[in-house]
Amino acid sequence: MQRRLFLGSMLGAAASGTPLARAIAAAAATPISGDLPATRLGGGETVLSRAAVREFRASLRGPLLLPGEDGYDRARQVWNGMIDRRPALIARCSGPADVVSSVEFARSNDLLVAVRSGGHSTSGQSVCDGGLMIDLSAMRGVRVDPRAKRAWVAGGSLLGDLDRESQFFGLATTAGTVSHTGAAGLTLGGGFGRLGRRLGLACDNLASIDVATADGKVLRASSNENRDLFWGMRGGGGNFGIATAFEYRLHDIGTTVLGGPIIYPFSKVREVLDFYVEFAQTIPDELNVDCAIVAPPGGKPAVILEVCYAGDPAVGEKLIQPIRSFSKPLVDQVKLMPYLKLQSGGDEANGPGRNYYIKSGFVHDVDPALFDTMVNGFTPDPGRATVMLLQQLGGAIRQVRPDATAFPHRNAQFDLLVLGGWDDRTQNDYHRTWIRSFWSEMEPYTRGYYFNTQIGDSQAQVRANFGDNYSRLVKLKDRYDPGNLFRLNANVLPSSSASSASSG
Ligand SMILES: Cc1cc2nc3c(=O)[nH]c(=O)nc-3n(C[C@H](O)[C@H](O)[C@H](O)COP(=O)(O)OP(=O)(O)OC[C@H]3O[C@@H](n4cnc5c(N)ncnc54)[C@H](O)[C@@H]3O)c2cc1C
């Protein structure tokens, strides 16, 4: 209950704007000539002098955008159109040196900090009201060494950048299912994708990360250097610093996969779900099958099994034969196709700017009553795209121990999501209320949740969701970010804040 209230008030504030956000919006109506109101790290207001802002701007190679300036409104937009926040300053970093200057400016002025790469945080953690938005989205670039099977990826790159350059050499690593998602946020929180059962999470495929820390250093974290930081950055999100570059291990998968959707009418939903859950347990790690129940706005609902087999097509055809024969589909679009095409096939349907709301949780053992709840509660709406997704996990994800990286949810079978997307902002409350209420019926069948789709609404929840890894994460936080500069995330509290929070 508390969790829902918190989220509701957070999103409400985003929609209506805090007093400070309104002051910043008002300031935008006139050219910036005076001092700049801003939000302190711990909340409350501060004022930045014009001279300090000018000096900061001069220290950057990329542009520093203030309210009212060209590009400011575009730069503060993130994927979820429901998020409408106004940072006091947006540093559009051109490289790690700009990131460090921004970190130092924020620290010395005690500013709230948001870190943005792909901007796909559904709850809008990458943009803040009144603080400094450290924006890496201009830092895109991928270099692949096909012999070493490595990709070096700049911190603001999108998954499509990584896939495209890797596929040029017939290589790939696990990346998410929508190509305009940021590599940074996805990888730091874990990273599921169509190749995950075969190759592990995106974070399992990291060889090293360059991290700009709160004290203004850039550290290399890998299994040889700063090993504790490397452990924490793989699943611990942006808690310990800003990732300015990633080094991924790549794998030979070729450029073609057997993939695509098989679509069934909604009348067969229960039959499909029952088949799916049995089938999913029998298939090898090379095959990934996700199951979605979808209802486009005003359209007919349907059930989709989406296949991706990266291996010998003849073997793949045999493996998916049961899907083709258990029931007659409406459409069967599974065929040999470029992996890149499969990876970008959902880009438009999940495009930026619409209002979105998501709830999710991990399913470990499927209780048939969950399917009853899913089927009975699924309610299409003419004004909303309604999606319920079972993203298949297991395989190589499960082969890694829960304490080997900061990502603990290794044994889940599926990530279950309910997602709504709509255009009419006046209906935000209505759609959110439906999703929350529907989710409250399904949540009891889940255990733990994915920080990349919801950060958690209380400290107790964050702690519980990191499980046994939490105490080690607190030690890391104490070491790398004792002032909790990086807090807009699934926040691990440093011991100093945790003890003052518990004594307060
Ligand atoms: C359409 C869509 C599809 C998705 N599909 C998948 C999927 O298939 N698999 C999956 O696992 N997840 C998926 N996700 C969830 C996705 O992993 C998260 O939304 C992720 O946070 C996106 O990363 P980003 O860089 O775009 O986000 P941002 O909004 O830029 O950042 C998200 C969080 O990461 C932090 N952060 C961002 N960049 C850095 C950095 N360089 N260093 C340190 N911290 C940083 C931010 O501060 C914020 O807390 C999807 C999300 C969307 C919206």
Side-chain angles (χ1 to χ4, degrees), residues 13-348:
S16 61
T18 60
L20 181 64
R22 283 197 292 274
I24 290 171
T30 52
I32 299 294
S33 53
D35 296 341
L36 196 65
T39 302
R40 280 186 195 285
L41 182 58
E45 205 171 319
T46 183
V47 174
L48 299 169
S49 73
R50 195 155 39 129
V53 173
R54 213 184 285 133
E55 199 181 318
F56 176 38
R57 176 172 271 164
S59 76
L60 298 173
R61 187 143 185 275
L64 179 71
L65 301 174
L66 306 186
E69 293 183 346
D70 272 358
Y72 170 85
D73 276 325
R74 191 145 188 274
R76 72 184 181 84
Q77 278 165 19
V78 288
W79 174 78
N80 190 348
M82 190 152 51
I83 309 296
D84 181 19
R85 300 196 183 126
R86 294 170 181 278
L89 321 97
I90 303 176
R92 301 260 300 151
C93 300
S94 72
D98 278 359
V99 173
V100 171
S101 296
S102 304
V103 166
E104 286 180 333
F105 182 77
R107 209 190 49 233
S108 52
N109 289 284
D110 190 31
L111 286 180
L112 179 66
V113 166
V115 180
R116 180 216 159 107
S117 287
H120 277 44
S121 157
T122 46
S123 57
Q125 297 306 305
S126 37
V127 59
C128 55
D129 269 332
L132 169 62
M133 181 177 183
I134 303 179
D135 180 0
L136 281 75
S137 61
M139 289 169 53
R140 285 171 64 178
V142 177
R143 183 174 80 82
V144 171
D145 179 339
R147 270 166 303 186
K149 294 189 184 153
R150 292 285 158 102
W152 285 268
V153 176
S157 305
L158 304 183
L159 296 177
D161 302 330
L162 170 60
D163 276 343
R164 162 87 173 123
E165 298 307 326
S166 307
Q167 278 287 278
F168 182 72
F169 298 103
L171 300 167
T173 196
T174 303
T177 54
V178 173
S179 81
H180 46 69
T181 311
L186 178 129
T187 304
L188 297 174
F192 304 137
R194 295 181 173 98
L195 301 177
R197 288 165 40 73
R198 175 172 162 185
L199 305 176
L201 299 174
C203 76
D204 296 336
N205 286 285
L206 282 175
S208 71
I209 318 175
D210 291 356
V211 188
T213 49
D215 58 0
K217 295 196 181 96
V218 178
L219 302 178
R220 168 74 46 87
S222 71
S223 52
N224 300 318
E225 287 170 87
N226 299 301
R227 295 172 60 168
D228 55 347
L229 184 59
F230 190 50
W231 177 86
M233 297 287 289
R234 289 174 296 159
N239 266 293
F240 310 107
I242 302 180
T244 57
F246 297 89
E247 180 188 356
Y248 293 89
R249 277 188 287 273
L250 302 177
H251 310 267
D252 288 301
I253 69 143
T255 54
T256 306
V257 293
L258 185 65
I262 302 184
I263 305 174
Y264 305 85
F266 187 73
S267 56
K268 294 193 173 179
V269 61
R270 189 59 208 244
E271 187 190 352
V272 176
L273 284 170
D274 287 340
F275 163 80
Y276 173 64
V277 72
E278 290 286 318
F279 181 68
Q281 284 176 37
T282 64
I283 57 181
D285 300 348
E286 289 74 20
L287 178 60
N288 186 85
V289 183
D290 294 335
C291 177
I293 303 174
V294 298
K300 277 195 179 157
V303 195
I304 302 173
L305 294 180
E306 198 227 60
V307 168
C308 176
Y309 180 77
D312 179 349
V315 176
E317 289 284 358
K318 268 201 196 116
L319 283 170
I320 66 166
Q321 192 49 43
I323 309 185
R324 289 191 152 133
S325 55
F326 84 92
S327 187
K328 191 172 157 38
L330 283 174
V331 186
D332 178 349
Q333 291 174 339
V334 174
K335 57 182 182 213
L336 279 179
M337 63 159 76
Y339 175 65
L340 282 179
K341 191 168 176 206
L342 187 62
Q343 283 289 85
S344 56
D347 284 7
E348 216 175 294

Side-chain angles (χ1 to χ4, degrees), residues 276-277 280 289 361-363 366 390-393 412-416:
Y276 173 64
V277 72
V289 183
F362 290 120
V363 178
V366 179
L390 281 161
Q391 187 163 25
Q392 194 185 1
L393 307 177
Q413 273 195 65
F414 302 102
D415 189 23
L416 172 65

